Amino acid sequence: MTTQNHFVIGASAAIAQSFIDRLHHQDPSSHVYTISQQNIEAHHNNRTHIVSEHNEDSIAHTVEMLKTPLQSAATITIFNGQLHNQEFTPEKRLEDISEGYFDWIFKANTLTPILWLKMLAPHLSKIRHPCVVTCLSARVASINENELGGWYCYRASKAALNMMFKTASIEYKRRAKTTKLVLFHPGTTDSPLSKPFQKNVPQGKLFTPEFVAERLYDLIQTRVIDGQLDYIDWQGQTISW
C-alpha cells in the first residue's frame, strides 16, 4: 500500500503543531511535510520540513519541490492567518480602519491561502484518490451571523477567503475531481492569536490546541468528496455564509 502523505502549511501555528502530533499518532506510517517561514523542531521521524516565504515565487518553488509526494497527498491543511501584531489590532469603530492593517491582514488571511490553492491545483488534478484540503476560516466571517460589528478588516479578510475557496471549489470540481475543499472554524483557541481577547470568552469555550486538532482530524476523516465546499465549525456544524 502506498504511504499516505500529509501536508501542513503554516506549521508553526499552535493548532498546526498539535495537528502534526495528531497525524503522527493516528497514522505512524504516514509521512508529514511541514511548511513554514522558519525552521521548527521535529519530534517525529516520518517528517520533512520546508522553509517557504509567503509570496508567489516561494510558494510556487515549494510546490514544485513537493510535486512527487503530492501524488500521494491525503490531506493538505493550511493554518496561515493573522489577527494582530505589535502595530495593528482589530478595529472597534470605523475611525480605526487603516490602509496598513487592511493590506497586511488581507495578504495573510486571503492572498496567501489562495496562492497555495492556485499552485496546488495542477498537481491535485492528477491524483485519483481522495484528498481533503482544509483552510482555517472563522465564524466572524459569516455575513449573516454578524450582529456585534467591529473587527472590520479581519472579518472582511476571512469573508474574502471564503469567497475565494467557494469559487475555487467550482473549478476544482472540474479539474481535481477527487479533492474536497473545507473551511474550518476552530472556535476560540488558547494561542497567541487569541491571547489579547480571551478575557471575554465564556467558561468552557476556550479550547486547547490539542482539542481543536483532534476535532479537525476527526472531521476531515468524515468529509465526502462531492465537489462542494464545506464551511464548518469545530462541532462539524455548517456555518451560514
Side-chain angles (χ1 to χ4, degrees):
M1 181 179 295
T2 304
T3 299
Q4 286 191 325
N5 293 329
H6 302 280
F7 299 83
V8 179
I9 302 168
S12 62
I15 300 174
Q17 287 288 291
S18 294
F19 187 69
I20 293 164
D21 290 339
R22 173 60 56 174
L23 288 171
H24 283 296
H25 174 75
Q26 292 293 139
D27 187 4
S29 66
S30 66
H31 198 99
V32 179
Y33 293 83
T34 58
I35 302 160
S36 67
Q37 284 187 294
Q38 61 277 330
N39 281 310
I40 55 177
E41 185 178 354
H43 301 287
H44 308 278
N45 293 327
N46 295 342
R47 180 164 150 194
T48 301
H49 184 69
I50 298 171
V51 174
S52 178
E53 296 299 323
H54 297 330
N55 61 64
E56 193 164 5
D57 288 344
S58 186
I59 293 171
H61 176 69
T62 300
V63 172
E64 180 64 20
M65 288 174 54
L66 294 171
K67 63 181 181 180
T68 299
L70 278 169
Q71 295 175 11
S72 300
T75 68
I76 301 171
T77 313
I78 304 171
F79 290 92
N80 295 100
Q82 297 287 352
L83 175 58
H84 59 87
N85 61 17
Q86 292 182 343
E87 183 179 359
F88 301 121
T89 57
E91 311 93 340
K92 294 182 179 179
R93 57 180 187 163
L94 280 165
E95 287 83 352
D96 296 332
I97 294 174
S98 74
E99 183 178 353
Y101 183 42
F102 181 99
D103 290 344
W104 174 74
I105 204 164
F106 266 76
K107 184 177 189 303
N109 292 347
T110 311
L111 181 59
T112 297
I114 202 63
L115 284 176
W116 280 105
L117 215 56
K118 168 190 172 180
M119 301 302 177
L120 289 166
H123 301 280
L124 297 183
S125 66
K126 299 175 183 177
I127 65 176
R128 295 295 177 263
H129 58 268
C131 176
V132 179
V133 180
T134 306
C135 185
L136 264 63
S137 185
R139 186 180 293 277
V140 296
S142 169
I143 295 173
N144 286 342
E145 295 187 19
N146 182 4
E147 296 182 354
L148 295 177
W151 290 34
Y152 285 87
C153 288
Y154 182 75
R155 289 181 185 274
S157 68
K158 290 293 190 178
L161 170 72
N162 290 359
M163 179 58 82
M164 288 281 198
F165 266 64
K166 175 61 178 177
T167 306
S169 71
I170 298 170
E171 185 169 346
Y172 263 60
K173 185 177 182 179
R174 299 193 304 267
R175 296 181 58 185
K177 300 181 185 297
T178 62
T179 300
K180 172 74 172 182
L181 299 187
V182 179
L183 293 165
F184 174 70
H185 166 61
T188 304
T189 308
D190 188 7
S191 68
L193 184 142
S194 71
K195 191 67 70 177
F197 313 101
Q198 291 180 4
K199 65 180 181 180
N200 295 321
V201 178
Q203 187 173 2
K205 293 297 183 180
L206 180 63
F207 304 135
T208 66
E210 293 78 13
F211 170 79
V212 174
E214 180 180 354
R215 294 299 304 135
L216 174 56
Y217 180 88
D218 290 346
L219 288 167
I220 286 175
Q221 307 313 306
T222 62
R223 295 306 94 195
V224 177
I225 310 299
D226 56 3
Q228 302 298 313
L229 171 67
D230 288 355
Y231 179 28
I232 57 174
D233 65 13
W234 58 274
Q235 299 175 94
Q237 296 180 352
T238 297
I239 301 173
S240 170
W241 299 104

